[in-house]
Amino acid sequence: MQDIKPIRVFLKVVALSSFAAAARSLNMTPASVTRIVAKLEQDLGQQLLVRTTRQVALTSAGAMVAARFGPVVDSFDQVTEEITRAVRPDRGRLSINAPLSLGVRLLPSVIDRFRLAYPNILVDVTLTDRLVDVVQENCDLAIRVSGPPSDKSTIWRKICEVPRHAVASPALLERMQRPETPDDLNPDFCMSYTSSGKAEDWTFRKDGIKRTITAGGAITSNNGDFLYSLARLGNGITVLPDFIVNDGIAAGDVEPLLTDWVISPLWLTLFYPPYDVLPPLVATFTDFFEVHLSEATEFAFHTEKTRPGS
C-alpha cells in the first residue's frame, strides 16, 4: 500500500476503541472513518475489527496488523520529523530544557513571540534545575545559567553574562552587623545555591583585590526562587542572579550587600548535542532567542555576540 492513511485511521480506532472517538480525534466524519477501515479490510482480505453497539474489538488478524504496523508508523513519523528538522528552519518540533526560575520568568514571552513568528514550529519545554544530559535525554537544546561550561561532550554558545548580588532581608540585617567586606560574611548566615549539597564558593572583586569565601551548608538548594524566599523571610544571606532579586530589592523586601564589590557573573549558555552543524530548526530558535534577550529590558543581562564553543 502506497498510502499509510488507512493504517493511521485503523490504529486510531484501535487506540480509542471507538469509530466516533477516532473520527473526532482525526477531525473526520464517522462515516469516513468507517469507510476507510472497511476498505483496508477489503484490501487485506481480512476482518480486522468486530463492531458491536457497545464496543469495538480486534480480531486475531486485526491484532497482528496493529502490532506490526504500529511501530512502523511510529518509526515513519520519527524519520519524517527528523528529516523535516534537518532541512526546514520553520517547521517541526523543538525540545527545549531550561532552569525553573529563568524559564518561568523569561520563556513565556520568548515562546509567545517565537510562535507568532513561526507558527509551524511545535515547542516542547521542560523546566528543571537539574543539569540535564542533552544527548541522553534527546533534547534539542538546553538553556543554562551557570559558570563557564566544562562539559566536553556537548557544544555550547554563550549568549550573555548574568550579573548577581548578595542580598539579605532588613529583618536579618537588624540582628547582625552589616558586612563591609567579604571577610565580614559569616558562613553560618550564608545559604548556598548548589545541586550537590556542598557549600558554595562566592568570589568578590574590587580594585584588583579578589576575595573568595565559602558559604554555609546549613541551607542549600538548587532553586534560586526558594533561596530568595528564605532570604526575604530573614533566614540568611544568598547570592542570586539579578533577574531573581531585582523586584525584591525595588520593593524593599531584601537589600543588596557589598555593592562596591563585584561578584563573578554567571553565564547564560545554550547547550546542544554534538552537532557538526546546528540543524536549521535549532539555529532558528538560537538566533531568535539571542535577539529577544538583547531587546528584553526587563532582564539584567549583559548580552554579547558569541560563537558556539566546545
Side-chain angles (χ1 to χ4, degrees):
M1 291 180 298
Q2 299 299 316
D3 186 2
I4 68 169
K5 180 178 179 180
I7 293 293
R8 289 188 185 280
V9 173
F10 166 70
L11 292 174
K12 184 63 70 174
V13 173
V14 172
L16 299 178
S17 299
S18 168
F19 280 79
R24 288 193 296 272
S25 176
L26 297 169
N27 196 27
M28 299 171 62
T29 65
S32 296
V33 170
T34 300
R35 184 171 59 255
I36 289 172
V37 173
K39 182 64 167 58
L40 177 63
E41 291 177 321
Q42 180 182 345
D43 291 341
L44 295 176
Q46 296 287 336
Q47 183 177 356
L48 304 179
L49 297 169
V50 177
R51 307 157 180 81
T52 69
T53 57
R54 303 183 64 180
Q55 63 179 0
V56 175
L58 284 166
T59 64
S60 58
M64 182 175 67
V65 170
R68 296 293 181 86
F69 276 105
V72 171
V73 172
D74 289 342
S75 296
F76 176 85
D77 290 342
Q78 182 177 353
V79 171
T80 300
E81 181 178 324
E82 290 174 357
I83 292 173
T84 299
R85 287 167 51 189
V87 301
R88 291 291 299 272
D90 61 349
R91 186 180 299 272
R93 178 176 292 277
L94 188 68
S95 175
I96 302 170
N97 181 276
L100 182 60
S101 296
L102 180 77
V104 169
R105 287 173 169 80
L106 176 65
L107 284 187
S109 60
V110 174
I111 300 304
D112 176 57
R113 292 178 59 186
F114 183 72
R115 288 278 293 154
L116 286 175
Y118 302 99
N120 292 318
I121 297 179
L122 309 180
V123 182
D124 177 19
V125 178
T126 301
L127 302 181
T128 175
D129 289 317
R130 176 176 58 87
L131 185 58
V132 301
D133 186 324
V134 292
V135 177
Q136 292 294 326
E137 303 200 25
N138 197 29
C139 180
D140 294 313
L141 64 95
I143 305 169
R144 289 291 124 196
V145 177
S146 63
S150 58
D151 183 7
K152 301 299 183 182
S153 66
T154 61
I155 61 175
W156 50 267
R157 178 171 183 154
K158 180 184 178 184
I159 301 299
C160 63
E161 292 190 346
V162 181
R164 52 183 180 155
H165 283 91
V167 296
S169 72
L172 179 64
L173 296 175
E174 290 177 359
R175 305 198 309 267
M176 60 173 286
Q177 182 176 356
R178 180 184 289 269
E180 299 296 331
T181 73
D183 296 330
D184 296 334
L185 291 170
N186 183 344
D188 292 339
F189 289 99
C190 298
M191 302 180 294
S192 293
Y193 180 88
T194 175
S195 59
S196 65
K198 297 180 180 179
E200 180 186 18
D201 288 335
W202 298 342
T203 299
F204 298 79
R205 289 181 172 83
K206 175 184 177 182
D207 300 330
I209 302 172
K210 176 182 175 181
R211 290 286 186 272
T212 299
I213 70 108
T214 300
I219 299 178
T220 68
S221 177
N222 69 337
N223 182 262
D225 280 304
F226 178 75
L227 289 174
Y228 171 75
S229 294
L230 286 175
R232 182 174 55 82
L233 293 171
N235 282 270
I237 299 168
T238 186
V239 170
L240 293 172
D242 285 4
F243 68 84
I244 293 179
V245 302
N246 273 349
D247 288 346
I249 292 173
D253 295 333
V254 293
E255 297 181 20
L257 305 177
L258 304 172
T259 55
D260 53 342
W261 291 77
V262 176
I263 302 175
S264 299
L266 299 175
W267 287 14
L268 195 157
T269 311
L270 299 185
F271 286 84
Y272 313 96
Y275 303 120
D276 292 332
V277 178
L278 287 185
L281 190 63
V282 177
T284 295
F285 181 83
T286 297
D287 293 341
F288 185 93
F289 183 74
E290 190 164 8
V291 170
H292 179 89
L293 249 63
S294 69
E295 299 173 350
T297 57
E298 68 271 29
F299 294 97
F301 297 142
H302 296 161
T303 57
E304 56 185 58
K305 291 292 183 182
T306 59
R307 293 182 299 173
S310 62

